[in-house]
């Protein structure tokens, strides 16, 4: 497969409810594709899949899927369970479909190190890479014109847990609820969702695994468990009531399931620290 060439053009600053920063992709053979053509039709990004419609003035509507049969991700084997997935970390796969142009492939490479793979950044919402259409060629997602400001988290039963996440781990919306703890590890299922840890494995939960001090106990280095699908904050307190940010703000985790960060604080007789998971792109 040929390496796609980047397309450069003047920035078109457009906005909408679903894609509030920029909303355009570009195909050299088909022109601009609008991911939010109007309030009633746009592409939406959920916990694990995309849905809705984009529009090309030259090619018409392009459908990204509705809702997967299993509520989690499209199987992409046969219609109607076909659409565009993402792995929770922003890497895209699967297919969109335009009646006038056929299939658009977002999973043309399984190599996550490929710089041209289609993905979006969990910190900025910016899309990168290319999708591919056998009839239209490469479609550039990453020239700086396409970004989301939120990942949508539907919660039909109002239990504070994303419906997609509940279907992924429990197969329904009734097993997990307010105050449930399926694996009995002391972390509620809602807390496991917030950290994207395994709610059925008691050894998997967000925790600080080591700490060390320097500079007269005014600097701490924390090592804590992390997931690539979440962002993080570190906080500190002297009374377990009022918590202050570490000064590091919200940040992406290190690879390999553990993250190390160092920050300074005012020395006191006692000090408490905690790691907090943050849902990415959630206003």
């Amino acid at each position: 497969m040929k390496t796609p060439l980047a397309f450069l053009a003047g920035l078109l600053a457009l906005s909408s409810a679903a894609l509030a920063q920029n909303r355009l992709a570009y195909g050299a053979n088909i022109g601009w594709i609008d991911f939010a053509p109007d309030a009633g039709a746009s592409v939406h990004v959920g916990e694990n899949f995309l849905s809705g419609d984009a529009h090309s003035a030259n090619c018409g509507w392009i459908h990204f899927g509705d809702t997967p049969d299993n509520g989690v991700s499209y199987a992409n084997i046969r219609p109607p369970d076909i659409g565009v997935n993402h792995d929770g970390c922003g890497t895209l796969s699967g297919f969109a479909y335009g009646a006038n142009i056929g299939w658009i492939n977002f999973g043309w490479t399984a190599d996550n190190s490929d710089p041209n793979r289609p993905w979006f950044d969990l910190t900025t919402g910016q899309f990168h890479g290319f999708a591919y259409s056998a009839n239209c060629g490469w479609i550039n997602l990453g020239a700086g014109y396409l970004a989301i400001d939120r990942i949508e988290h539907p919660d039909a039963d109002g239990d504070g847990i994303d419906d997609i996440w509940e279907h992924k781990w429990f197969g329904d919306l009734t097993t997990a609820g307010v105050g449930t703890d399926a694996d009995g590890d002391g972390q509620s299922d809602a807390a496991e969702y917030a950290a994207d840890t395994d709610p059925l494995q008691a050894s998997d939960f967000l925790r600080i695994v080591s700490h060390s001090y320097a500079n007269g106990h005014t600097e701490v280095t924390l090592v804590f468990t992390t997931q690539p699908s979440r962002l993080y904050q570190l906080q500190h307190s002297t009374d377990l009531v009022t918590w202050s940010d570490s000064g590091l703000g919200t940040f992406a985790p290190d690879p390999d399931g553990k993250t190390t960060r160092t920050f300074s604080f005012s020395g006191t007789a006692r000090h408490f620290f905690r790691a907090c998971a943050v849902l990415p792109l959630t206003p």
Side-chain angles (χ1 to χ4, degrees), residues 18-19 33-38 40-44 50-56 60-66 96-98:
L19 291 126
I33 300 173
D34 190 341
F35 275 57
D38 59 57
S42 58
V43 176
H44 300 271
L50 279 61
S51 60
D53 299 273
H55 186 266
S56 164
W61 293 101
I62 299 170
H63 189 54
F64 280 69
D66 293 310
Y97 182 79

Side-chain angles (χ1 to χ4, degrees), residues 40-103:
S42 58
V43 176
H44 300 271
V45 180
E47 182 95 359
N48 285 110
F49 61 86
L50 279 61
S51 60
D53 299 273
H55 186 266
S56 164
N58 294 320
C59 302
W61 293 101
I62 299 170
H63 189 54
F64 280 69
D66 293 310
T67 301
D69 287 349
N70 64 6
V72 179
S73 59
Y74 302 105
N76 284 306
I77 297 174
R78 61 181 64 87
D81 193 22
I82 293 180
V84 178
N85 296 316
H86 76 87
D87 62 356
C89 304
T91 297
L92 302 171
S93 61
F95 298 89
Y97 182 79
N100 297 319
I101 59 175
W103 299 106

